[in-house]
Amino acid sequence: MTKQVQELDHVIIRFAGDSGDGMQLTGDRFTQETAIFGNDLSTLPNFPAEIRAPAGTLPGVSSFQLHFADHDILTPGDAPDVLVAMNPAALAANLKDLPRGADLIVNTDEFTKRNLSKAGYDANPLDDDSIAQAYSLHPVPLTSLTVKALEDIDITRKDAERAKNMFALGLLSWLYGRPAEGTLAFLEAKFGKKPEVYKANVTAFQAGWSYGETTEDFSVRYEVKAASLARGKYRNITGNTALSYGLIAASKLSKLPLFLGSYPITPASDVLHELAKHKRFGVRTFQAEDEIAAVGSALGAAFGGSLAVTTTSGPGMVLKAETVGLAVSVELPLIVCDIQRAGPSTGMPTKTEQADLLMALFGRNGESPVPVVAAASPSDCFHAAIEAARIAVTYRTPVVLLSDGYLANGSEPWRIPEISSLPDLSAEFAFTTSPNPADNGGGFQPFRRDPATLARPWAIPGTPGLEHRIGGIEKADGAGSISYDPVNHDLMVRTRQAKIDGIAASIPDLEVDDPDGDARVLVLGWGSTYGSIGAAARRVRRAGHPVAQAHLRHLNPFPANLGDVLRRYDKILVPEINLGQLALLLRGKFLVDVISYNRVRGLPFRAAELAEAIEEVITHA
């Protein structure tokens, strides 16, 4: 039968099911095909922290939301236009987010009395007319249709039922005109050595596609044209993959071997997994027995002349604090990647938060300042990694790079940069010196500083003539010998702080997006709030209200013009997924009474809620 084709400018789809239903794989495959098609996109994977949460229960629900469009977009979307619910728990957990009139595709086979009870339903909600009246309901027996399609393949019924996610993927791929070739190639690569499993998944996918073509329940197909993007070569990329590639690029740009010392922790583990694949680029990865050993190995690698990195999340940052302080004292380059998650303690490991800012700045004993940079989007993790490496190598200091779970697992199109556009990070090591009696008694001065950067020499162990004392006890200025002299300690503390403060001269001024130049309200953010703030600002401007937007990458030191920017506006709104950490810093440093907007739910901001907050501030400006 011929189906009507309706053109849309954007769609938000959410796949939701039990943790064993393959929702992350389904969403990822739909995303990859959407990227190949040429849409702009943004994703939000959302899954439990437990390895296997109780099947069929609300805590065990896993979802994957994808927003794709024919134009530039910034977020995974506030609410889905389409919800695919694989069981009652998925429906119960996500129905509240579904706007009236949205498409609701439900796997009716799973709505058994037992599953309904586990999801908290006394009766089958699909029998309630209110759902059919509120949504465009499409009841589909996904499980039984899949089993029927696979009855001639030599696999167990359990394995046949597991392929229902491929049936759902085939149906949605048909419904939104996604290419099939990439998914078929993926299935061959993944299951090619298991012919029956491969055949089952391909057959289930094709059966879902054919069901969409033949059923009368879907009378309309939808088309979302490719987005108009800047010319170049693109690929879909997650934040953790972009961060890994940025570190590899920084290694090549600095001509230093890359060393990663890491202990697996959600959501940072994928950086270790990714970098371990790239030994051909001179990458060495070490999975340590704990967080302390991981950062200790990285600092040792920095002492040996490597571009040294350690990755972790909030709980690991606590354990690494003493060694990061040692890196401050011995003044060696070290990149500490904190992929933030919801806390405190173990908290919610798979949920996002940006509450480690104050810990990154002050979470060490003594006066131990470190630069802090933050990525703004999944693809921006690449550039943030290069910037962290630039600062670490140039100024001989540990640098904290902040990402979070939303950026780490989310994805978007990434325009692969030209190598010529990347900065030169060439590192200079100290060379053998001859004793010079006129130079403070002669010999190597390990804490004699570059007058421009205040960085000390980077001396490779074993270089004749460059022997020097190393360790955490305070050093004498210049000579580097142990010193308990009060005046010297005061000098070293102030010098280390001055070195970090001086980084501001090498970072660009804060750019402000104020199209008409007459806004009285500035929305200032950092990290992963970039997309939500940008989308909210667009809504507010479309409603006729002027608003300015700026986003901080450098959180220590701040850009040199930040104070001037803050004083330019009547009101400053600072949205954060914490209880106001950047706001506290701005009030203390610039004496500006900024307005905090805080939600700490383990989820990114919704653009609609931020737009309401911005309009409220504008109204009272």
Side-chain angles (χ1 to χ4, degrees):
M1 60 185 296
T2 302
K3 301 291 181 83
Q4 177 187 353
V5 177
Q6 180 179 340
E7 188 172 320
L8 303 173
D9 63 356
H10 77 107
V11 175
I12 303 169
I13 298 176
R14 184 183 297 177
F15 298 93
D18 191 69
S19 290
D21 285 339
M23 294 297 93
Q24 302 305 315
L25 175 62
T26 304
D28 182 67
R29 286 314 316 159
F30 197 96
T31 299
Q32 296 298 336
E33 298 301 338
T34 298
I36 292 171
F37 186 81
N39 296 121
D40 196 15
L41 63 89
S42 179
T43 69
L44 177 61
N46 193 359
F47 44 88
E50 292 84 354
I51 294 175
R52 190 68 176 92
T57 65
L58 267 67
V61 172
S62 174
S63 68
F64 189 106
Q65 183 162 305
L66 164 68
H67 183 191
F68 61 102
D70 64 2
H71 57 275
D72 173 46
I73 58 174
L74 297 171
T75 74
D78 287 357
D81 302 307
V82 184
L83 172 63
V84 181
M86 302 295 281
N87 62 14
L91 181 66
N94 292 279
L95 190 61
K96 63 183 182 298
D97 295 333
L98 200 64
R100 291 184 67 87
D103 285 312
L104 176 58
I105 301 173
V106 181
N107 180 14
T108 55
D109 287 330
E110 298 300 316
F111 279 68
T112 63
K113 184 176 181 180
R114 183 167 181 266
N115 286 345
L116 289 166
S117 177
K118 287 195 290 185
Y121 286 116
D122 296 326
N124 191 338
L126 302 183
D127 295 336
D128 188 338
D129 289 341
S130 63
I131 286 187
Q133 292 171 1
Y135 311 105
S136 179
L137 178 62
H138 304 276
V140 181
L142 287 171
T143 306
S144 56
L145 286 172
T146 303
V147 172
K148 178 68 175 176
L150 306 184
E151 59 185 0
D152 294 332
I153 299 176
D154 186 20
I155 58 173
T156 66
R157 179 180 176 86
K158 183 177 180 180
D159 285 339
E161 290 179 351
R162 291 178 63 185
K164 63 182 180 289
N165 67 320
M166 286 295 107
F167 188 102
L169 177 60
L171 171 58
L172 269 294
S173 296
W174 171 84
L175 190 59
Y176 289 96
R178 302 297 92 183
E181 293 77 12
T183 294
L184 297 178
F186 166 80
L187 292 173
E188 183 176 8
K190 187 173 180 65
F191 300 115
K193 295 182 180 179
K194 300 177 181 179
E196 295 302 307
V197 176
Y198 165 66
K199 185 177 180 182
N201 279 277
V202 170
T203 302
F205 177 84
Q206 293 172 335
W209 186 289
S210 298
Y211 179 82
E213 282 188 324
T214 58
T215 183
E216 295 182 2
D217 192 31
F218 295 96
S219 59
V220 178
R221 294 183 70 183
Y222 300 98
E223 179 182 13
V224 181
K225 293 186 179 297
S228 179
L229 302 173
R231 291 181 60 85
K233 183 178 290 186
Y234 287 82
R235 60 156 289 171
N236 186 49
I237 200 164
T238 65
N240 275 348
T241 302
L243 177 59
S244 302
Y245 290 176
L247 292 171
I248 295 172
S251 170
K252 294 303 178 183
L253 294 168
S254 62
K255 301 178 178 62
L256 298 173
L258 179 61
F259 177 90
L260 173 68
S262 182
Y263 178 74
I265 183 172
T266 302
S269 300
D270 284 343
V271 179
L272 171 62
H273 301 160
E274 183 63 38
L275 287 178
K277 301 175 185 177
H278 298 292
K279 295 180 178 65
R280 66 187 184 280
F281 293 119
V283 179
R284 295 182 181 181
T285 54
F286 169 58
Q287 181 175 319
E289 64 270 28
D290 56 41
E291 295 281 5
I292 299 173
V295 68
S297 68
L299 184 56
F303 181 56
S306 292
L307 181 64
V309 184
T310 188
T311 52
T312 189
S313 191
M317 285 290 287
V318 176
L319 295 168
K320 295 180 188 294
E322 183 181 2
T323 305
V324 175
L326 176 59
V328 171
S329 176
V330 297
E331 301 187 44
L332 287 172
L334 173 66
I335 303 171
V336 182
C337 301
D338 176 10
I339 318 299
Q340 301 164 95
R341 70 190 206 186
S345 187
T346 308
M348 301 191 295
T350 59
K351 310 303 179 184
T352 199
E353 202 162 285
Q354 50 176 182
D356 293 354
L357 175 56
L358 295 182
M359 178 170 64
L361 285 166
F362 308 118
R364 294 164 299 282
N365 60 293
E367 294 284 349
S368 52
V370 299
V372 178
V373 298
S377 70
S379 63
D380 186 53
C381 289
F382 175 86
H383 299 285
I386 292 177
E387 175 64 358
R390 182 192 71 83
I391 294 173
V393 170
T394 303
Y395 293 89
R396 311 286 195 267
T397 178
V399 178
V400 176
L401 169 56
L402 294 176
S403 177
D404 59 38
Y406 167 45
L407 299 184
N409 297 314
S411 62
E412 65 181 359
W414 174 51
R415 184 185 180 190
I416 301 173
E418 296 291 337
I419 295 176
S420 59
S421 70
L422 301 178
D424 180 7
L425 305 184
S426 298
E428 294 184 3
F429 295 116
F431 296 98
T432 301
T433 59
S434 300
N436 181 358
D439 185 14
N440 295 324
F444 177 52
Q445 297 280 299
F447 283 84
R448 184 178 184 181
R449 302 180 181 279
D450 182 312
T453 63
L454 297 182
R456 78 174 186 90
W458 194 356
I460 301 301
T463 305
L466 301 188
E467 297 85 356
H468 62 284
R469 187 182 296 273
I470 202 76
I473 298 178
E474 185 62 283
K475 316 295 184 302
D477 180 40
S481 55
I482 290 176
S483 173
Y484 289 91
D485 179 72
V487 175
N488 177 79
H489 178 57
D490 185 82
L491 173 63
M492 294 296 280
V493 166
R494 294 178 186 277
T495 301
R496 287 189 289 262
Q497 182 64 57
K499 180 173 70 169
I500 304 307
D501 293 342
I503 295 170
S506 72
I507 64 179
D509 281 347
L510 178 66
E511 295 184 0
V512 180
D513 177 19
D514 186 356
D516 298 325
D518 56 358
R520 297 171 60 197
V521 173
L522 170 70
V523 186
L524 179 65
W526 68 276
S528 64
T529 58
Y530 172 78
S532 301
I533 292 173
R538 289 179 180 179
R539 292 187 181 211
V540 171
R541 289 166 185 160
R542 284 198 298 267
H545 303 295
V547 64
Q549 175 195 355
H551 211 75
L552 289 166
R553 161 167 285 169
H554 298 88
L555 296 157
N556 191 36
F558 287 129
N561 70 327
L562 177 57
D564 293 335
V565 169
L566 296 178
R567 286 184 285 271
R568 196 186 307 164
Y569 294 91
D570 295 343
K571 299 286 185 180
I572 313 295
L573 179 66
V574 182
E576 298 182 79
I577 310 178
N578 58 47
L579 294 183
Q581 296 188 13
L582 174 61
L584 177 68
L585 296 170
L586 297 175
R587 292 188 186 109
K589 186 174 180 64
F590 299 104
L591 303 180
V592 175
D593 188 18
V594 301
I595 302 167
S596 283
Y597 183 83
N598 310 110
R599 296 289 185 274
V600 198
R601 300 170 299 190
L603 295 167
F605 285 121
R606 294 177 178 174
E609 65 180 330
L610 272 185
E612 289 180 6
I614 294 169
E615 290 179 352
E616 177 71 15
V617 174
I618 291 173
T619 301
H620 295 91

